[in-house]
Each structure stands twice: as C-alpha cells, then as structure tokens.
C-alpha cells in the first residue's frame, strides 16, 4: 500500500490559549482543543474513530490515550498514546494517514496538552544518571553541545545563530496569541549574557502551558462533509538518531536527512518548491541543522542561509511565521502544524506572500527523533 | 564553608566499577570479549554484537575533545560556587566517549574541537572524579 499524495487532509485545527494557565488540567486543555478542532472541521464528535495522544511530560502516566478518549466520551477503533518526544506529532500524523488510507479508521483526532509552566518542568532539568557529578544538567546544555560542534566544524557564528530568535521574535510580536511578544535585534541578542555557552536565554524554547488538536480524514470524506478548508498531506517521513548526545558519532547531522528525503519523495517535491517552513525551534541551532539536513542548503551552510533576514516573513523562506517554540509557545510541535495549515488556508495573522506548500519538522529528545510533514497542493 | 554535595554517582549498579577504578587513579571502560567493541557507559550486553560478555579495561588517559559547553548559571545548587564551569564530550584514544569536565585553563571558551586532552583525577570529598585538561 502506498500513501496517495493528498489522499488524507487536515480538516480541522484547535488550540487553547498559550502561556501560564494555572488551574487547568491537561485533560481539560485537551478536551478544549479537541472540541475546537471538531468545530473547525464542522463535524460531529461521533465521526471520530481514532484518538491519538502525545502524553504530557509534566505529570507522566500510563494509558493517556484511553484517559483522553474517555474524557471525550469516545470509544475509538484506534486509541493510543505516542512517546517520541516532540517528534510524536508527525509520528502520529504519519500513522493516522496510513491507517485512514488502509481503511482501519476514517476520522482521526490527534491531540496534546501539557502544563510545565504552572505544573512541573522537572523532566527538563534532571541530571541523567551519573553525569550529574560533572554538572551535566538540563536540556539547554545538551543542545548547546551540538551547537558548539556545529560552530567548531563549520565556522557557524553566534551572529548567524541569532538570526533564528530574531526572526521568531519578530513573528511572535505580530501574533496576539503568542506567549512572548517582544522583538529583538541581533545587537540585543549579542549583548545578552550566555546561559550555557554558546547559548543565551533567547536561544531556548519557552516553557508553556497549552493544548492543541487536529482532525484528519480522507480527501473524499472532507468533500462529502463539506469541510471548509481542508489542507492536503502530500508526504511525510520519520527518522531516529537514537544515540544519546554523549555517544552520537556525528553531532551535526541527524536522521532528519532520512525523514526529509522520505517526505520529499512521497510529495514529489524538492526544497526549491517549498514556500514556507515551520521547523521545530526548541533551540536556535535546530532549524539551522534541519535546513541543511532537508537539502535547503549544503551541510554546514545553514548559518549563512538564515543570516540577514532570509527566514523572516519577507525573506526567501519564511520560517515559524507565528513565532515558533521561541516566541509563540514552547509546545512540542502541534502549533507548527497548525500555523502551517493557517498559512496554506491564507488565514494566518502574518500571512506569507507565497503559501502553496509548507514543510513542517518535529523532533524530540535531544534531536533523537525526527518527523517531516509536507502539506499543500501546487 | 558550607558546600552542597555534588550529585553522587550510584554506589551499586553497572557503572560502579568505573568509579571504583577512578579511586585508584585509573580510567576504565568496557570491552566486549566476543567482538572487541569498546564502549561506555557500562551495559549488560554489548551494543554492537548484543552478547553479554563484557569486561572492564584500563584506558591510557589520552583523549580528544569532541565538543563542550560552559555553564554560566547553576542548574543545581551544588554548582552555584563553581560557575563558570565546562562540561565536555570527550573521546578516549581507545574509542569510547563520555561526559566529563574540561579544566586546566582560565578562559573556558578557548578550547578547540578535536584538541588532545589528558585525564586528571580530582578528589571531591570521598569521590575521585576524572576530568580532562589540555594534553
């Protein structure tokens, strides 16, 4: 069975507010986002026969997929929770698209919510095993380790890396729903002290509460239901680098290259045919390496590619047009898919001039897992 | 002077022989008796051939620097007095990689990827911690 290009569409999107949401449980935020996504798709809840959930990190527990389905009052044919870190979003989209095409279900609801900001972010600052004795603590340091190697191997500069938060903060400032709405210049960025070098605080994702959901179905079903603005899924791909940062033989490439090739092949597109990019920006080095691994530029040239406004809304490849993880919300990835859908619908707050195709990346752990999604039709 | 204890390595378990060797001024790593693969951290099965025939070996103490970061803020109270400090991924001459500290020079930004390093054993209370300095 091959995935038919455009055979499955994203029919609905829904989000809660982003930021600090004290007193909201993850179940409550999931239900809100799901209700909004169903309303956006214009379909009844009982049409849903697959519920896929990325579990929260703030209070991990087993069987989240079943807890969410129960809160939604559903008994789906397919129900599961999916542990792939931030790559789970595209992992779930890939699986749901294949399951729909294979006839295992017709309408999939994919959802997520977490509250590390007002709940607990402990999972992001634990020492791993014995390495705590060396002071090897916290997620930012692990990504900074990768960024340093990229700078040492390819001459990538902090000024080039800073182009990522500068673009994200410009886009977030224009977004009323963004958690952080304060633009910065590259000089502002360079004047900041290091947090864990080579990173500054502004190289690091926000910590945020919030939930999001999307609805997938066959293109034919979307037409039959009269879905207002379905967005075709053209291709997807996955890849797992696996190795912990301290053991990974190559720090400057990941399985994003495999995930990207798979998605481009399925979509029948090349990087030059992509209008906009929503690339997981938990830390500023990640979109730079992702652009290289996807073939938008040669390995090591990502810093040059993003410098001087190339990835801002009026640049050659608008990136993270709602602010991404650095400015809109630190949510692990669903917000990037949803902004891509808005852009392709022509309904984004900061609308890109050319928005016929969009690539989305999601990644998890410390660049351990990767997913690529390509949407839109030319 | 009140000091918060460094996060202590586990006293029992797979990695305990690494810390016992460090107390004797020896840097240790695992090697598979079946296929010869050398690795850290300690595992029950060789990650290359998957057989449970692992042994411990002593390393020369020579290594090269893969990458490093410098903490300017303490993510744990024990390190509040040690800021700024450097954490590195180093690769032993024998092959295995590990996390350790980089030290021995004043400007912690002034290292270079792939530079040669040498192990140095530091006493921290009842613990001996292997750290790396320029060779």
């Amino acid at each position: 069975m091959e995935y038919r290009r455009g055979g499955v569409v994203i029919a609905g999107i829904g989000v809660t507010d982003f930021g600090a949401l004290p007193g909201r449980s993850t179940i409550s935020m999931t239900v809100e986002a799901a209700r909004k996504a169903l309303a956006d798709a214009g379909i009844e809840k009982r049409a849903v026969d697959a519920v896929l959930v990325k579990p929260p990190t703030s209070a991990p527990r087993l069987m989240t997929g079943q807890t969410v389905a129960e809160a939604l009052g559903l008994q789906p044919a397919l129900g599961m929770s999916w542990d792939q870190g931030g790559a789970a979003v595209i992992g779930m989209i890939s699986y749901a698209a294949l399951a729909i095409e294979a006839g295992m279900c017709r309408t999939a609801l994919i959802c997520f919510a977490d509250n590390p900001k007002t709940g607990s972010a402990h999972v992001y600052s634990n020492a791993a095993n014995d390495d705590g004795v060396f002071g090897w603590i916290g997620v930012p340091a692990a990504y900074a380790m990768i960024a340093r190697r990229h700078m040492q191997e390819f001459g990538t500069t902090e000024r080039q890396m800073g182009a990522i938060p500068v673009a994200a903060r410009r886009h977030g400032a224009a977004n009323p729903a963004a958690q952080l709405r304060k633009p910065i210049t590259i000089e502002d960025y360079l004047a900041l002290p290091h947090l864990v070098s080579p990173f500054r605080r502004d190289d690091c994702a926000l910590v945020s509460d919030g939930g999001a959901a999307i609805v997938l179905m066959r293109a034919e079903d979307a037409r039959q239901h009269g879905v207002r603005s379905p967005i075709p899924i053209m291709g997807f791909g996955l890849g797992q680098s696996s190795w912990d940062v301290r053991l990974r033989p190559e720090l400057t490439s990941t399985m994003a290259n495999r995930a990207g090739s798979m998605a481009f092949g399925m979509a029948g597109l090349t990087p030059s045919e992509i209008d906009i990019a929503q690339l997981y920006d938990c830390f500023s080095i990640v979109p730079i390496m992702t652009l290289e691994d996807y073939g938008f530029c040669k390995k090591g040239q990502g810093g040059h590619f993003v410098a001087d406004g190339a990835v801002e809304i009026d640049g050659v490849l608008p990136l993270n047009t709602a602010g991404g993880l650095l400015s809109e919300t630190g949510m692990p990835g669903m917000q990037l898919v949803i902004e891509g859908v808005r852009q392709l619908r022509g309904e984004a707050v900061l609308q890109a001039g050319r928005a016929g195709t969009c690539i989305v990346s999601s990644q998890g752990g410390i660049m351990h897992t990767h997913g690529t999604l390509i949407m839109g039709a030319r | 002077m009140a000091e918060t204890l460094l996060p202590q390595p586990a006293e029992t378990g797979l990695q305990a022989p690494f810390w016992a060797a460090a107390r004797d001024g020896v840097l240790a790593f695992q090697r598979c008796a079946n296929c010869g693969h050398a690795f850290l951290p300690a595992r029950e099965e060789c990650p290359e051939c998957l057989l449970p025939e692992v042994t411990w070996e002593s390393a020369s103490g020579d290594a090269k620097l893969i990458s490093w970061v410098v903490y300017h803020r303490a993510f744990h109270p024990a390190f509040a007095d040690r800021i700024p400090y450097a954490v590195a991924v180093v690769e032993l001459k024998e092959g295995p990689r590990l996390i350790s500290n980089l030290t021995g020079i004043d400007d912690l930004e002034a290292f270079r990827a792939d530079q040669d390093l040498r192990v140095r054993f530091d006493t921290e209370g009842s613990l001996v911690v292997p750290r790396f300095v320029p060779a």
Side-chain angles (χ1 to χ4, degrees), chain A residues 130-138 140-141 144-146 148-149 152 194-198 245-249 251, chain B residues 7 9-10 15 19 40 43 66-73 76 79 85 87 97 99 101 109 112-114 129-130:
Chain A
D130 285 352
D131 291 336
V133 72
F134 301 109
W136 178 238
I137 298 167
M145 189 72 80
I146 291 172
R148 172 89 68 185
R149 182 74 197 185
Q152 291 276 307
H194 282 129
L195 173 70
V196 50
S197 74
V245 166
R246 66 202 163 128
L247 304 179
R248 193 173 301 162
L251 286 174
Chain B
Q15 193 73 356
W19 298 103
L40 279 171
R43 298 175 191 273
I66 300 301
S67 189
W68 80 104
V69 299
V70 182
Y71 281 75
H72 291 269
R73 189 162 72 83
H76 184 288
F79 295 88
Y85 68 91
V87 178
R97 289 188 179 184
I99 288 282
N101 294 120
E109 297 290 323
R112 269 178 8 265
D114 302 319
V129 179

Side-chain angles (χ1 to χ4, degrees), chain A:
Chain A
M1 185 204 89
E2 262 185 37
Y3 175 73
R4 295 174 304 146
R5 199 172 290 162
V8 174
V9 300
I10 297 182
I13 55 176
V15 293
T16 65
D17 291 338
F18 302 138
L21 305 177
R24 293 293 302 280
S25 71
T26 57
I27 288 287
S28 169
M29 290 187 285
T30 307
V31 170
E32 177 186 339
R35 181 176 50 74
K36 287 173 168 176
L38 292 168
D40 184 58
I43 61 167
E44 294 283 308
K45 183 185 81 170
R46 67 203 147 119
V48 172
D49 55 356
V51 175
L52 291 79
V53 180
K54 179 191 183 312
T57 52
S58 59
R61 54 178 184 269
L62 300 175
M63 299 294 275
T64 313
Q66 275 52 61
T67 318
V68 166
E70 185 189 84
L72 294 170
L74 291 172
Q75 292 178 287
L78 301 187
M80 62 199 73
S81 32
W82 195 282
D83 175 19
Q84 215 180 345
V89 171
I90 293 178
M92 291 187 287
I93 290 172
S94 306
Y95 179 80
L98 294 170
I100 288 168
E101 286 282 83
M104 292 175 71
C105 62
R106 293 193 77 141
T107 307
L109 177 67
I110 300 176
C111 42
F112 165 81
D114 203 355
N115 53 9
K117 191 166 180 63
T118 54
S120 170
H122 71 94
V123 72
Y124 297 108
S125 58
N126 282 350
N129 50 65
D130 285 352
D131 291 336
V133 72
F134 301 109
W136 178 238
I137 298 167
V139 170
Y143 280 87
M145 189 72 80
I146 291 172
R148 172 89 68 185
R149 182 74 197 185
H150 200 275
M151 294 166 71
Q152 291 276 307
E153 251 188 74
F154 302 117
T156 304
T157 64
E158 292 187 3
R159 175 173 283 269
Q160 289 170 336
M161 212 161 60
I164 295 295
V166 166
R169 298 279 289 272
R170 175 182 171 186
H171 301 159
N175 176 2
Q179 180 176 331
L180 179 57
R181 301 190 62 195
K182 282 169 51 180
I184 51 168
T185 65
I186 192 64
E187 280 69 34
D188 293 335
Y189 168 84
L190 290 168
L192 292 168
H194 282 129
L195 173 70
V196 50
S197 74
F199 282 163
R200 298 164 164 82
R201 184 206 61 207
D202 292 42
D203 290 300
C204 308
L206 301 172
V207 176
S208 314
D209 302 336
I214 58 178
V215 176
L216 268 59
M217 62 180 68
R218 286 188 143 200
E220 295 87 341
D221 283 358
R223 274 193 289 281
Q224 212 168 19
H225 283 297
V227 169
R228 182 178 69 84
S229 191
I231 297 299
I233 291 171
M234 305 303 281
F236 43 85
L238 298 170
Q240 183 134 317
S241 305
S242 284
W243 292 105
D244 189 71
V245 166
R246 66 202 163 128
L247 304 179
R248 193 173 301 162
E250 281 291 333
L251 286 174
T252 55
S253 275
T254 71
M255 289 285 271
N257 47 32
R258 185 181 182 278
S261 306
M262 195 185 285
F264 278 115
M266 216 186 268
L269 292 170
T270 62
S272 62
E273 297 171 280
I274 299 293
D275 296 325
I276 40 182
Q278 311 293 339
L279 304 182
Y280 204 92
D281 56 341
C282 50
F283 296 91
S284 50
I285 190 66
V286 179
I288 287 172
M289 279 172 57
T290 306
L291 287 165
E292 294 171 354
D293 282 333
Y294 282 177
F296 284 91
C297 61
K298 288 190 165 62
K299 176 49 63 181
Q301 295 299 301
H304 286 283
F305 185 95
V306 304
D308 302 321
V311 293
E312 294 183 29
I313 189 66
D314 39 16
V316 300
L317 183 70
L319 172 69
N320 299 351
T321 46
L325 278 75
L326 291 174
S327 196
E328 179 177 38
T329 168
M331 175 180 294
M334 189 95 70
Q335 79 278 39
L336 300 177
V337 175
I338 286 173
E339 171 64 6
V341 167
R342 290 200 195 98
Q343 287 282 343
L344 294 170
R345 286 177 174 179
E347 295 171 4
V349 167
L350 197 61
Q351 182 63 46
R354 270 196 349 257
T357 55
C358 177
I359 192 163
V360 185
S361 75
S362 63
Q363 62 103 80
I366 317 296
M367 308 189 83
H368 287 95
T369 59
H370 195 96
T372 310
L373 174 70
I374 298 176
M375 302 185 288
R378 272 256 153 123

Side-chain angles (χ1 to χ4, degrees), chain B residues 61 100 103-104 118-122 128-133:
Chain B
S100 184
T103 185
R118 176 96 204 123
V119 72
R120 184 184 84 186
F121 293 92
D122 290 351
V128 174
V129 179
R131 297 191 168 119
F132 288 81
V133 297

